[in-house]
Amino acid sequence: TIEETAEKIEDYLSQSGAPYSLIHSVDPFNHDGLIDFLPKDVSKAYAILWWIEHHDGDAEEVVFAGDSGNDRAVFESGIRSIIVGNADRRLASKMQAYHDTRGWKNRLYLAEQSATQGVLEGCRWFGLISPESSLQS
């Protein structure tokens, strides 16, 4: 399984002292296992927070959308997030529980629709676009 493979690679990285971290996930469309290697302590959450800090942004103006385990760092960061409907529902449940245990309200939206339609659904929920807004063909 992808989990077993990722665990073996993580063990190797740890034993070798390699300055990398590993994120594993499953592609929500074709169900392939995915393994991402990043420099240690770098993640999508780190990148977003860095961008906000270096562009005089406001984290409260950011909404992130994702669908797999490689988005987990953002979901766990407190940045307002949308988990689209095609995401692994186990991941969605874990992230909802994570938010619940921290008492975070209105920071995570679990969309029913997939992909771009799920992003639009979440944007409506966060009040970023009007309820009538839809994708143009």
PDB file of all heavy atoms in Angstrom, residues 100-121:
ATOM      1  N   ASP A 100     -12.551  20.309  14.991  1.00  0.00           N
ATOM      2  CA  ASP A 100     -13.455  20.232  16.144  1.00  0.00           C
ATOM      3  C   ASP A 100     -12.688  20.202  17.458  1.00  0.00           C
ATOM      4  O   ASP A 100     -13.054  20.895  18.417  1.00  0.00           O
ATOM      5  CB  ASP A 100     -14.363  19.001  16.048  1.00  0.00           C
ATOM      6  CG  ASP A 100     -15.377  19.106  14.916  1.00  0.00           C
ATOM      7  OD1 ASP A 100     -15.577  20.217  14.370  1.00  0.00           O
ATOM      8  OD2 ASP A 100     -15.952  18.052  14.564  1.00  0.00           O
ATOM      9  N   THR A 101     -11.600  19.413  17.522  1.00  0.00           N
ATOM     10  CA  THR A 101     -10.845  19.309  18.777  1.00  0.00           C
ATOM     11  C   THR A 101     -10.146  20.618  19.127  1.00  0.00           C
ATOM     12  O   THR A 101      -9.857  20.860  20.293  1.00  0.00           O
ATOM     13  CB  THR A 101      -9.785  18.174  18.736  1.00  0.00           C
ATOM     14  OG1 THR A 101      -8.860  18.439  17.702  1.00  0.00           O
ATOM     15  CG2 THR A 101     -10.444  16.822  18.540  1.00  0.00           C
ATOM     16  N   ARG A 102      -9.906  21.461  18.157  1.00  0.00           N
ATOM     17  CA  ARG A 102      -9.278  22.755  18.416  1.00  0.00           C
ATOM     18  C   ARG A 102     -10.310  23.865  18.627  1.00  0.00           C
ATOM     19  O   ARG A 102      -9.942  25.009  18.894  1.00  0.00           O
ATOM     20  CB  ARG A 102      -8.337  23.118  17.274  1.00  0.00           C
ATOM     21  CG  ARG A 102      -7.022  22.402  17.467  1.00  0.00           C
ATOM     22  CD  ARG A 102      -6.299  22.109  16.213  1.00  0.00           C
ATOM     23  NE  ARG A 102      -5.127  21.291  16.488  1.00  0.00           N
ATOM     24  CZ  ARG A 102      -5.159  19.986  16.775  1.00  0.00           C
ATOM     25  NH1 ARG A 102      -6.300  19.350  16.834  1.00  0.00           N
ATOM     26  NH2 ARG A 102      -4.062  19.310  17.016  1.00  0.00           N
ATOM     27  N   GLY A 103     -11.567  23.519  18.470  1.00  0.00           N
ATOM     28  CA  GLY A 103     -12.620  24.508  18.656  1.00  0.00           C
ATOM     29  C   GLY A 103     -12.721  25.506  17.519  1.00  0.00           C
ATOM     30  O   GLY A 103     -13.319  26.566  17.672  1.00  0.00           O
ATOM     31  N   TRP A 104     -12.148  25.157  16.372  1.00  0.00           N
ATOM     32  CA  TRP A 104     -12.212  26.056  15.222  1.00  0.00           C
ATOM     33  C   TRP A 104     -13.579  25.947  14.567  1.00  0.00           C
ATOM     34  O   TRP A 104     -14.026  24.867  14.215  1.00  0.00           O
ATOM     35  CB  TRP A 104     -11.144  25.710  14.201  1.00  0.00           C
ATOM     36  CG  TRP A 104      -9.741  25.967  14.647  1.00  0.00           C
ATOM     37  CD1 TRP A 104      -9.337  26.764  15.681  1.00  0.00           C
ATOM     38  CD2 TRP A 104      -8.556  25.437  14.072  1.00  0.00           C
ATOM     39  NE1 TRP A 104      -7.973  26.751  15.773  1.00  0.00           N
ATOM     40  CE2 TRP A 104      -7.457  25.945  14.800  1.00  0.00           C
ATOM     41  CE3 TRP A 104      -8.303  24.571  13.017  1.00  0.00           C
ATOM     42  CZ2 TRP A 104      -6.139  25.634  14.500  1.00  0.00           C
ATOM     43  CZ3 TRP A 104      -6.993  24.253  12.717  1.00  0.00           C
ATOM     44  CH2 TRP A 104      -5.920  24.786  13.447  1.00  0.00           C
ATOM     45  N   LYS A 105     -14.223  27.060  14.417  1.00  0.00           N
ATOM     46  CA  LYS A 105     -15.541  27.115  13.782  1.00  0.00           C
ATOM     47  C   LYS A 105     -15.429  27.869  12.465  1.00  0.00           C
ATOM     48  O   LYS A 105     -14.710  28.858  12.367  1.00  0.00           O
ATOM     49  CB  LYS A 105     -16.552  27.840  14.684  1.00  0.00           C
ATOM     50  CG  LYS A 105     -16.701  27.227  16.058  1.00  0.00           C
ATOM     51  CD  LYS A 105     -17.429  25.932  15.995  1.00  0.00           C
ATOM     52  CE  LYS A 105     -17.645  25.378  17.399  1.00  0.00           C
ATOM     53  NZ  LYS A 105     -17.686  23.964  17.443  1.00  0.00           N
ATOM     54  N   ASN A 106     -16.154  27.409  11.481  1.00  0.00           N
ATOM     55  CA  ASN A 106     -16.241  28.089  10.184  1.00  0.00           C
ATOM     56  C   ASN A 106     -14.883  28.279   9.515  1.00  0.00           C
ATOM     57  O   ASN A 106     -14.654  29.264   8.832  1.00  0.00           O
ATOM     58  CB  ASN A 106     -16.961  29.428  10.332  1.00  0.00           C
ATOM     59  CG  ASN A 106     -18.337  29.251  10.910  1.00  0.00           C
ATOM     60  OD1 ASN A 106     -19.052  28.318  10.559  1.00  0.00           O
ATOM     61  ND2 ASN A 106     -18.717  30.121  11.823  1.00  0.00           N
ATOM     62  N   ARG A 107     -13.976  27.335   9.699  1.00  0.00           N
ATOM     63  CA  ARG A 107     -12.655  27.396   9.076  1.00  0.00           C
ATOM     64  C   ARG A 107     -12.473  26.274   8.047  1.00  0.00           C
ATOM     65  O   ARG A 107     -11.514  26.276   7.292  1.00  0.00           O
ATOM     66  CB  ARG A 107     -11.556  27.305  10.134  1.00  0.00           C
ATOM     67  CG  ARG A 107     -11.719  28.368  11.225  1.00  0.00           C
ATOM     68  CD  ARG A 107     -10.464  28.914  11.780  1.00  0.00           C
ATOM     69  NE  ARG A 107      -9.578  29.593  10.860  1.00  0.00           N
ATOM     70  CZ  ARG A 107      -9.775  30.801  10.320  1.00  0.00           C
ATOM     71  NH1 ARG A 107     -10.878  31.459  10.576  1.00  0.00           N
ATOM     72  NH2 ARG A 107      -8.888  31.337   9.529  1.00  0.00           N
ATOM     73  N   LEU A 108     -13.400  25.320   8.035  1.00  0.00           N
ATOM     74  CA  LEU A 108     -13.302  24.183   7.129  1.00  0.00           C
ATOM     75  C   LEU A 108     -14.674  23.894   6.550  1.00  0.00           C
ATOM     76  O   LEU A 108     -15.658  23.787   7.291  1.00  0.00           O
ATOM     77  CB  LEU A 108     -12.791  22.947   7.882  1.00  0.00           C
ATOM     78  CG  LEU A 108     -12.604  21.682   7.041  1.00  0.00           C
ATOM     79  CD1 LEU A 108     -11.454  21.863   6.049  1.00  0.00           C
ATOM     80  CD2 LEU A 108     -12.311  20.491   7.958  1.00  0.00           C
ATOM     81  N   TYR A 109     -14.719  23.777   5.242  1.00  0.00           N
ATOM     82  CA  TYR A 109     -15.972  23.428   4.569  1.00  0.00           C
ATOM     83  C   TYR A 109     -15.759  22.147   3.783  1.00  0.00           C
ATOM     84  O   TYR A 109     -14.821  22.046   2.992  1.00  0.00           O
ATOM     85  CB  TYR A 109     -16.426  24.551   3.629  1.00  0.00           C
ATOM     86  CG  TYR A 109     -17.716  24.202   2.941  1.00  0.00           C
ATOM     87  CD1 TYR A 109     -18.918  24.225   3.652  1.00  0.00           C
ATOM     88  CD2 TYR A 109     -17.741  23.806   1.609  1.00  0.00           C
ATOM     89  CE1 TYR A 109     -20.105  23.870   3.031  1.00  0.00           C
ATOM     90  CE2 TYR A 109     -18.924  23.457   0.990  1.00  0.00           C
ATOM     91  CZ  TYR A 109     -20.103  23.487   1.711  1.00  0.00           C
ATOM     92  OH  TYR A 109     -21.282  23.136   1.109  1.00  0.00           O
ATOM     93  N   LEU A 110     -16.613  21.167   4.019  1.00  0.00           N
ATOM     94  CA  LEU A 110     -16.568  19.904   3.296  1.00  0.00           C
ATOM     95  C   LEU A 110     -17.599  19.964   2.173  1.00  0.00           C
ATOM     96  O   LEU A 110     -18.798  19.826   2.407  1.00  0.00           O
ATOM     97  CB  LEU A 110     -16.861  18.731   4.231  1.00  0.00           C
ATOM     98  CG  LEU A 110     -15.979  18.630   5.480  1.00  0.00           C
ATOM     99  CD1 LEU A 110     -16.367  17.416   6.317  1.00  0.00           C
ATOM    100  CD2 LEU A 110     -14.514  18.589   5.116  1.00  0.00           C
ATOM    101  N   ALA A 111     -17.116  20.209   0.977  1.00  0.00           N
ATOM    102  CA  ALA A 111     -18.004  20.354  -0.182  1.00  0.00           C
ATOM    103  C   ALA A 111     -18.583  19.003  -0.584  1.00  0.00           C
ATOM    104  O   ALA A 111     -17.965  17.960  -0.383  1.00  0.00           O
ATOM    105  CB  ALA A 111     -17.238  20.964  -1.351  1.00  0.00           C
ATOM    106  N   GLU A 112     -19.751  19.041  -1.149  1.00  0.00           N
ATOM    107  CA  GLU A 112     -20.367  17.832  -1.699  1.00  0.00           C
ATOM    108  C   GLU A 112     -19.963  17.638  -3.157  1.00  0.00           C
ATOM    109  O   GLU A 112     -19.822  16.519  -3.623  1.00  0.00           O
ATOM    110  CB  GLU A 112     -21.887  17.916  -1.573  1.00  0.00           C
ATOM    111  CG  GLU A 112     -22.345  17.876  -0.117  1.00  0.00           C
ATOM    112  CD  GLU A 112     -23.857  17.950   0.018  1.00  0.00           C
ATOM    113  OE1 GLU A 112     -24.567  17.737  -0.992  1.00  0.00           O
ATOM    114  OE2 GLU A 112     -24.324  18.219   1.131  1.00  0.00           O
ATOM    115  N   GLN A 113     -19.781  18.751  -3.868  1.00  0.00           N
ATOM    116  CA  GLN A 113     -19.443  18.671  -5.286  1.00  0.00           C
ATOM    117  C   GLN A 113     -17.938  18.488  -5.468  1.00  0.00           C
ATOM    118  O   GLN A 113     -17.143  18.833  -4.597  1.00  0.00           O
ATOM    119  CB  GLN A 113     -19.932  19.921  -6.004  1.00  0.00           C
ATOM    120  CG  GLN A 113     -21.452  20.031  -5.968  1.00  0.00           C
ATOM    121  CD  GLN A 113     -21.943  21.224  -6.755  1.00  0.00           C
ATOM    122  OE1 GLN A 113     -21.353  21.603  -7.761  1.00  0.00           O
ATOM    123  NE2 GLN A 113     -23.033  21.820  -6.297  1.00  0.00           N
ATOM    124  N   SER A 114     -17.566  17.925  -6.611  1.00  0.00           N
ATOM    125  CA  SER A 114     -16.167  17.623  -6.907  1.00  0.00           C
ATOM    126  C   SER A 114     -15.461  18.766  -7.612  1.00  0.00           C
ATOM    127  O   SER A 114     -16.098  19.606  -8.249  1.00  0.00           O
ATOM    128  CB  SER A 114     -16.086  16.383  -7.804  1.00  0.00           C
ATOM    129  OG  SER A 114     -16.587  15.267  -7.126  1.00  0.00           O
ATOM    130  N   ALA A 115     -14.147  18.749  -7.485  1.00  0.00           N
ATOM    131  CA  ALA A 115     -13.246  19.607  -8.240  1.00  0.00           C
ATOM    132  C   ALA A 115     -13.697  21.072  -8.213  1.00  0.00           C
ATOM    133  O   ALA A 115     -14.002  21.600  -7.148  1.00  0.00           O
ATOM    134  CB  ALA A 115     -13.082  19.063  -9.653  1.00  0.00           C
ATOM    135  N   THR A 116     -13.727  21.718  -9.378  1.00  0.00           N
ATOM    136  CA  THR A 116     -14.022  23.144  -9.450  1.00  0.00           C
ATOM    137  C   THR A 116     -15.402  23.481  -8.894  1.00  0.00           C
ATOM    138  O   THR A 116     -15.578  24.512  -8.235  1.00  0.00           O
ATOM    139  CB  THR A 116     -13.916  23.632 -10.915  1.00  0.00           C
ATOM    140  OG1 THR A 116     -12.650  23.223 -11.426  1.00  0.00           O
ATOM    141  CG2 THR A 116     -14.038  25.130 -11.004  1.00  0.00           C
ATOM    142  N   GLN A 117     -16.382  22.624  -9.130  1.00  0.00           N
ATOM    143  CA  GLN A 117     -17.719  22.880  -8.593  1.00  0.00           C
ATOM    144  C   GLN A 117     -17.697  22.858  -7.058  1.00  0.00           C
ATOM    145  O   GLN A 117     -18.404  23.617  -6.412  1.00  0.00           O
ATOM    146  CB  GLN A 117     -18.727  21.864  -9.142  1.00  0.00           C
ATOM    147  CG  GLN A 117     -19.048  22.057 -10.608  1.00  0.00           C
ATOM    148  CD  GLN A 117     -19.704  23.397 -10.890  1.00  0.00           C
ATOM    149  OE1 GLN A 117     -20.444  23.945 -10.081  1.00  0.00           O
ATOM    150  NE2 GLN A 117     -19.418  23.948 -12.053  1.00  0.00           N
ATOM    151  N   GLY A 118     -16.860  21.999  -6.483  1.00  0.00           N
ATOM    152  CA  GLY A 118     -16.703  21.970  -5.034  1.00  0.00           C
ATOM    153  C   GLY A 118     -16.042  23.229  -4.504  1.00  0.00           C
ATOM    154  O   GLY A 118     -16.387  23.731  -3.429  1.00  0.00           O
ATOM    155  N   VAL A 119     -15.082  23.756  -5.269  1.00  0.00           N
ATOM    156  CA  VAL A 119     -14.442  25.019  -4.885  1.00  0.00           C
ATOM    157  C   VAL A 119     -15.477  26.136  -4.890  1.00  0.00           C
ATOM    158  O   VAL A 119     -15.564  26.935  -3.949  1.00  0.00           O
ATOM    159  CB  VAL A 119     -13.261  25.357  -5.826  1.00  0.00           C
ATOM    160  CG1 VAL A 119     -12.709  26.742  -5.508  1.00  0.00           C
ATOM    161  CG2 VAL A 119     -12.170  24.302  -5.720  1.00  0.00           C
ATOM    162  N   LEU A 120     -16.289  26.203  -5.953  1.00  0.00           N
ATOM    163  CA  LEU A 120     -17.347  27.228  -6.019  1.00  0.00           C
ATOM    164  C   LEU A 120     -18.334  27.073  -4.862  1.00  0.00           C
ATOM    165  O   LEU A 120     -18.749  28.069  -4.251  1.00  0.00           O
ATOM    166  CB  LEU A 120     -18.090  27.144  -7.350  1.00  0.00           C
ATOM    167  CG  LEU A 120     -17.342  27.688  -8.558  1.00  0.00           C
ATOM    168  CD1 LEU A 120     -18.106  27.394  -9.834  1.00  0.00           C
ATOM    169  CD2 LEU A 120     -17.097  29.179  -8.406  1.00  0.00           C
ATOM    170  N   GLU A 121     -18.709  25.840  -4.568  1.00  0.00           N
ATOM    171  CA  GLU A 121     -19.626  25.578  -3.445  1.00  0.00           C
ATOM    172  C   GLU A 121     -19.030  26.137  -2.144  1.00  0.00           C
ATOM    173  O   GLU A 121     -19.711  26.808  -1.367  1.00  0.00           O
ATOM    174  CB  GLU A 121     -19.847  24.068  -3.340  1.00  0.00           C
ATOM    175  CG  GLU A 121     -20.764  23.631  -2.234  1.00  0.00           C
ATOM    176  CD  GLU A 121     -20.813  22.114  -2.127  1.00  0.00           C
ATOM    177  OE1 GLU A 121     -20.586  21.392  -3.128  1.00  0.00           O
ATOM    178  OE2 GLU A 121     -21.082  21.638  -1.002  1.00  0.00           O
TER     179      GLU A 121
END
